[in-house]
Amino acid sequence: MLLANARPVRLGATGPGAPVSVRTRGGRVVAVGAHLRREPGEELVDAAGRWLLPGLWDAHVHLGQWARRRTRLDLAGTASAAEALNRVRGAVAASPVAATVLVGVGHRPATWAEPPTVSALDEATGPLPVVLVSGDAHGGWLNSAALGRFGLPWRDSPVVEAEWFDALPAILAAEDELVGPGAYTDALRAAAARGIVGVVDYEFEPGFAAWPRRYATVGVGVRVRTSTYPRDLDAAIAGGVRTGDALATVEGVPMVTMGSLKIISDGSLNTRTAACADPYPTGGHGVQNVSPADLRDLLGRARAHGLTVALHAIGDAAAAAALDAFATTGAEGTIEHAQLLPAGAPGRMATLGLAASVQPAHLLDDRHVTASVWGPDRARRSFPLRDLADAGVELLMGSDAPVAPLDPWLAVAAAVHRGDPDDPPWFPAQALRPAEALRASTGGRDEVAPGAPADLVLLDADPLAPGAPAEVARALRAMPVAATWVAGRPLHRTF
């Protein structure tokens, strides 16, 4: 392909450049210049002065659950248990007689006046098993029928953290019959239409085994970096799978590769389970899902067998334990979320060579919860993107879909403005500049250059256009994507 008349967006100090042509061959960019001429057999695409960027990655998704979003009951925005239960009653009444399970998602009960209870859900649902996945994905509100079906002991409260994650694979398997075969296809096509060329998938499955079988049937050429959890680590080691290994190729181009060992070391803000140094107002310090000794063991095994580690740490105590484990073992990888860090953590991460995999769109929901759950001091220290960038920590941006939509422009806008465009920014001193946020969404690629993968996104507007932060954020959210290519193959095009 010869892409002509494109304005390259350089994410360094130089900004957008004069229009150029870009030649791709064999899945890579082979030439960039002002006067490239079309060669025989080459497809000519006239960009007509549109803006060209390296393709965007979502560095943290749960793709199976995101693909299921259209078949799940939407509970996002419910302000009380009563409102959520009213939606559930309507969904149960509309369920087919043959339905075997009803799954909802999106409720965030941290600020509800009345807590969710199994008894209340039973009154609204009857004998149909109902599983309501919390908005932060760290818990499930199940009725008695669902607790029995999935082998969980009865209690009158939601299932959270380790017990929830242990039950989740069986719940997803039961839900599969509700999900059409094209769910992954639709999800990845929609992602490509927003400029996504690759996703890092942390679904609760042995992805290193599932994705090589799945990729051809999905039929959308977005790159996938998959993972393993500790429960499947032995199988990954036995299979000799190492970070960076190609697991599926198309015409010789690696399209599915092995990523990291994913460890969920603590909980989350909305379930009050993120492990924190200071107590919660209701008592307790959260939940450390993996002990320091077990963390060291897992990281040591991962390093010995060629795997990087993606270590979930939302609370500051969990982050401290995570950094200690990385320092002790010499393992490489990322701190996932890095939502609340202890003093000095950004500098320590930089010294250890760890990246921060962050999800700025989470602050859109969490800013209002943080004040009541963590208090003003911890709110000030939340989502410390500026501190991380200034310390020299590599930032990798994602969505954690389905916790937030799989939309890189929503994340970029949230990183730049620290809130909805119509609201005052939340601790704006921690904001990123647009070029920094975009670089964190391209895997660190500053520009389209020879030798790089031909993973490209063409935009109908300048993503670095100047303006007030709110105006910039509004424009970024609505960014029109004209075309997306992966390995030089078109996935999305509007012209």
Side-chain angles (χ1 to χ4, degrees):
M1 178 182 69
L2 183 65
L3 180 66
N5 301 315
R7 276 186 267 189
V9 178
R10 298 186 177 94
L11 300 177
T14 57
V20 298
S21 296
V22 177
R23 172 167 287 124
T24 70
R25 185 182 299 125
R28 306 197 79 81
V29 175
V30 296
V32 178
H35 303 292
L36 299 181
R37 294 186 178 182
R38 183 183 183 185
E39 296 180 350
E42 199 167 53
E43 179 191 7
L44 178 64
V45 177
D46 185 359
R50 293 178 174 90
W51 288 262
L52 183 69
L53 271 177
L56 307 180
W57 275 76
D58 190 310
H60 189 129
V61 303
H62 299 273
L63 197 58
Q65 294 185 73
W66 176 244
R68 289 164 164 82
R69 70 196 185 282
R70 292 189 180 92
T71 61
R72 288 178 164 182
L73 170 64
D74 184 9
L75 296 175
T78 49
S80 66
E83 183 181 355
L85 290 169
N86 280 336
R87 292 195 197 181
V88 171
R89 287 188 187 95
V92 170
S95 294
V97 174
T100 58
V101 64
L102 171 69
V103 180
V105 67
H107 66 288
R108 295 175 180 269
T111 57
W112 289 358
E114 296 291 332
T117 65
V118 174
S119 301
L121 190 56
D122 283 348
E123 292 177 4
T125 58
L128 176 65
V130 173
V131 178
L132 307 179
V133 184
S134 64
D136 59 12
H138 275 251
W141 183 10
L142 283 68
N143 65 358
S144 294
L147 289 171
R149 174 167 179 179
F150 297 111
L152 295 164
W154 197 90
R155 82 293 306 279
D156 204 27
S157 58
V159 182
V160 298
E161 297 308 326
E163 190 180 20
W164 164 248
F165 293 124
D166 286 344
L168 189 54
I171 294 169
L172 296 178
E175 192 183 6
D176 278 345
E177 62 189 72
L178 307 176
V179 181
Y184 279 96
T185 302
D186 293 344
L188 288 180
R189 280 180 180 161
R194 298 303 288 148
I196 288 287
V197 299
V199 296
V200 181
D201 187 25
Y202 291 123
E203 193 53 273
F204 296 94
E205 63 181 6
F208 61 91
W211 267 109
R213 298 191 299 265
R214 178 184 295 140
Y215 193 76
T217 63
V218 171
V220 181
V222 169
R223 297 184 193 264
V224 176
R225 188 176 305 142
T226 187
S227 60
T228 184
Y229 280 81
R231 63 187 295 165
D232 298 305
L233 178 57
D234 287 342
I237 291 172
V241 180
R242 301 168 72 88
T243 296
D245 285 354
L247 303 179
T249 61
V250 176
E251 297 178 0
V253 177
M255 299 303 292
V256 178
T257 55
M258 184 60 192
S260 296
L261 167 66
K262 172 70 184 298
I263 303 170
I264 301 178
S265 74
D266 75 331
S268 67
L269 169 68
N270 280 274
T271 51
R272 297 183 177 91
T273 51
C276 295
D278 297 320
Y280 286 82
T282 53
H285 291 259
V287 176
Q288 185 71 32
N289 289 317
V290 185
S291 71
D294 287 341
L295 274 181
R296 290 192 297 271
D297 177 67
L298 286 168
L299 268 63
R301 293 182 66 204
R303 184 189 182 203
H305 294 281
L307 293 169
T308 55
V309 176
L311 186 42
H312 165 119
I314 286 183
D316 52 359
L323 294 180
D324 287 345
F326 275 112
T328 299
T329 62
E332 299 177 352
T334 58
I335 299 294
E336 300 292 320
H337 310 301
Q339 187 165 336
L340 181 68
L341 296 176
R348 194 176 179 201
M349 289 176 64
T351 299
L352 291 170
L354 299 173
S357 175
V358 295
Q359 300 77 38
H362 287 193
L363 66 83
L364 302 175
D365 296 309
D366 285 356
R367 63 179 293 180
H368 301 296
V369 178
T370 301
S372 61
V373 174
W374 275 351
D377 176 64
R378 284 183 281 191
R380 191 177 299 108
R381 295 189 285 123
S382 294
F383 299 96
L385 304 182
R386 180 80 268 147
D387 290 347
L388 288 162
D390 287 348
V393 176
E394 180 184 10
L395 295 176
L396 304 171
M397 282 184 11
S399 63
D400 200 11
V403 179
L406 206 171
D407 184 350
W409 300 102
L410 179 64
V412 169
V416 168
H417 181 60
R418 303 277 298 187
D420 287 309
D422 295 330
D423 293 334
W426 190 51
F427 299 107
Q430 290 293 342
L432 297 179
R433 293 181 285 274
E436 293 173 316
L438 284 168
R439 190 182 301 113
S441 300
T442 62
R445 291 175 59 197
D446 286 333
E447 60 182 329
V448 176
D455 299 352
L456 308 170
V457 58
L458 194 65
L459 307 174
D460 282 323
D462 181 1
L464 300 181
E471 295 171 355
V472 169
R474 193 172 288 109
L476 288 169
R477 280 190 173 203
M479 181 59 60
V481 177
T484 306
W485 294 269
V486 175
R489 304 183 191 99
L491 299 190
H492 166 76
R493 187 170 166 184
T494 63
F495 64 98

